[in-house]
Amino acid sequence: MVEVDYSTYDKSKHIVGASRIKFFLWYFTNVLFFINPLNPFSFLKIWLLKAFGAKVGKDVLIKPGVNIKYPWKLTVGDQSMIGERVWIDNVESVIIGRNVCLSQRVIILTGSHDYSKSSFDYSCAPIVLEDGVWIGANSLVAKGVTCYSHSMLSVNSVAERDLKQYTIYKGNPAMAVLKRRIVDTKKDDRT
């Protein structure tokens, strides 16, 4: 068995992308206003995210208990929803499209380590959730994954590879199980 040599661990690959002051200000803001479930005010959270450099669209809903690592690496499109206790661990950029739903306790994880090397090298990659994506409760999206338009990751699933558009995935690792059909309920079909 090989021992992990932490002395060779390269911390430079983890790039904060902000000054130390901004980082520490965000840390306390995050603890007081995002992770704290006593703040139910989505408008305040959105204002704070924008103040720290996030790009947030119109009519976005952010539920209580959300934890965001670096808002300056976050983009959220119009009419998207981030559910209770979602953890966006975005050491790399996370781009969330329009009409995206992140259900309760979803984890968006842009970083990891190479367990096969004694140096335990850090690696990270952006995550993209295109328009209409739905990530089910307690699911995880791993580094480098793109969830294409209207794909869906079912409850308690893990996406380690890209999800094809209009496809429903399930399991760990997530496997395609169905095509996603979306019915337009706004059409008046009383004719």
Side-chain angles (χ1 to χ4, degrees):
M1 185 159 109
V2 176
E3 290 291 318
V4 175
D5 182 6
Y6 293 105
S7 66
T8 64
Y9 173 65
D10 184 3
K11 296 178 192 119
S12 68
K13 298 210 179 185
H14 179 108
I15 299 170
V16 173
S19 69
R20 284 182 182 231
I21 292 170
K22 186 175 186 178
F23 171 79
F24 285 113
L25 284 172
W26 172 249
Y27 175 82
F28 290 107
T29 301
N30 192 25
V31 169
L32 294 172
F33 295 105
F34 281 80
I35 300 170
N36 184 344
L38 298 176
N39 176 16
F41 303 111
S42 188
F43 73 91
L44 176 59
K45 294 174 190 180
I46 291 167
W47 184 85
L48 288 167
L49 284 173
K50 287 180 177 180
F52 279 92
K55 296 175 185 91
V56 182
K58 297 175 185 172
D59 301 320
V60 170
L61 178 61
I62 301 175
K63 297 291 221 161
V66 172
N67 186 358
I68 297 171
K69 186 159 233 160
Y70 301 142
W72 46 90
K73 294 185 178 188
L74 178 66
T75 301
V76 182
D78 298 344
Q79 299 176 332
S80 288
M81 195 272 297
I82 300 174
E84 289 90 349
R85 296 187 181 178
V86 167
W87 169 215
I88 299 177
D89 189 7
N90 59 333
V91 294
E92 274 291 335
S93 68
V94 169
I95 299 171
I96 299 170
R98 293 175 293 139
N99 300 302
V100 171
C101 177
L102 301 180
S103 297
Q104 302 86 341
R105 293 185 175 94
V106 162
I107 299 173
I108 306 296
L109 189 62
T110 61
S112 188
H113 298 272
D114 187 345
Y115 60 85
S116 68
K117 294 183 180 179
S118 64
S119 57
F120 204 50
D121 292 350
Y122 183 74
S123 66
C124 55
I127 292 173
V128 177
L129 308 176
E130 290 188 351
D131 295 349
V133 166
W134 181 9
I135 307 298
N138 295 312
S139 293
L140 182 142
V141 179
K143 69 179 180 115
V145 169
T146 296
C147 298
Y148 288 98
S149 177
H150 297 84
S151 58
M152 180 181 164
L153 184 63
S154 294
V155 173
N156 290 321
S157 296
V158 177
E160 295 178 320
R161 293 193 167 94
D162 292 352
L163 305 185
K164 293 180 183 175
Q165 66 181 4
Y166 291 94
T167 305
I168 299 172
Y169 288 80
K170 183 178 186 177
N172 180 8
M175 305 292 280
V177 293
L178 290 169
K179 281 294 186 188
R180 184 176 179 195
R181 294 181 59 228
I182 298 175
V183 178
D184 186 357
T185 57
K186 294 179 184 176
K187 284 185 179 179
D188 185 7
D189 58 350
R190 291 180 283 171
T191 56

